Amino acid sequence: MGKLVSQIAIKSDGDVFHEIFRERPHHISGMSPANIQKCDLHDGQWGTVGSVIYWNYTHDGKECVAKEIIEAIDEAKKSVTFKVIEGDLMELYNTFKLTVHVDAKGDDNLVTWTLGYEKKNENVPDPNTLMDFCLAVTKDIETHHLAK
Ligand SMILES: CC[C@@H](C)C[C@@H](CC)C(C)C
């Protein structure tokens, strides 16, 4: 299994950041429109493990889709794990998971993105540009909340 981990400090409220990914990922398109065009609920309820969400996003200049199951929500640790089950990423990876975790420490909040994946073959690149994408979305969410 391949794994990429990146951390980024945000000035906006860590609890709000966690709540967005847990309860209302469909609000992200409004905060990061260049990256996320749409997020629909396909099954279950928002903010519940087992619910299925469908993203339209633009990665490396390409319009992509991703169908994901919310695999885990840890309220105490403020983390959410998304497991990709359909879409562009499944052409390159047998499995792909994204975990976003927030360490709320005063006015500085540390966001940790963990991408866990199994490549279809050794020619498949590590998802570095997708990690950049996640960090860009993170910054846009922060900017949205600071621009008050
Ligand atoms: C699969 C790439 C995107 C759609 C992941 C999203 C979080 C799971 C995005 C908002 C970073």
Side-chain angles (χ1 to χ4, degrees), residues 30-107:
M31 304 177 204
S32 188
N35 294 305
I36 303 287
Q37 286 71 52
K38 211 162 182 305
C39 176
D40 289 328
L41 180 68
H42 274 215
D43 199 15
Q45 305 296 321
W46 289 115
T48 60
V49 170
S51 59
V52 178
I53 57 180
Y54 194 86
W55 301 91
N56 292 86
Y57 63 105
T58 301
H59 172 218
D60 287 339
K62 185 169 165 263
E63 290 186 14
C64 302
V65 296
K67 191 172 192 175
E68 297 178 339
I69 288 190
I70 305 267
E71 186 173 77
I73 295 174
D74 185 324
E75 267 316 287
K77 277 180 50 187
K78 292 191 180 55
S79 75
V80 184
T81 298
F82 302 85
K83 178 176 169 50
V84 182
I85 53 174
E86 267 178 41
D88 294 70
L89 288 170
M90 292 293 100
E91 288 162 22
L92 295 172
Y93 304 93
N94 290 320
T95 58
F96 203 98
K97 288 186 188 183
L98 303 97
T99 298
V100 55
H101 166 226
V102 190
D103 258 328
K105 286 198 176 72
D107 58 353

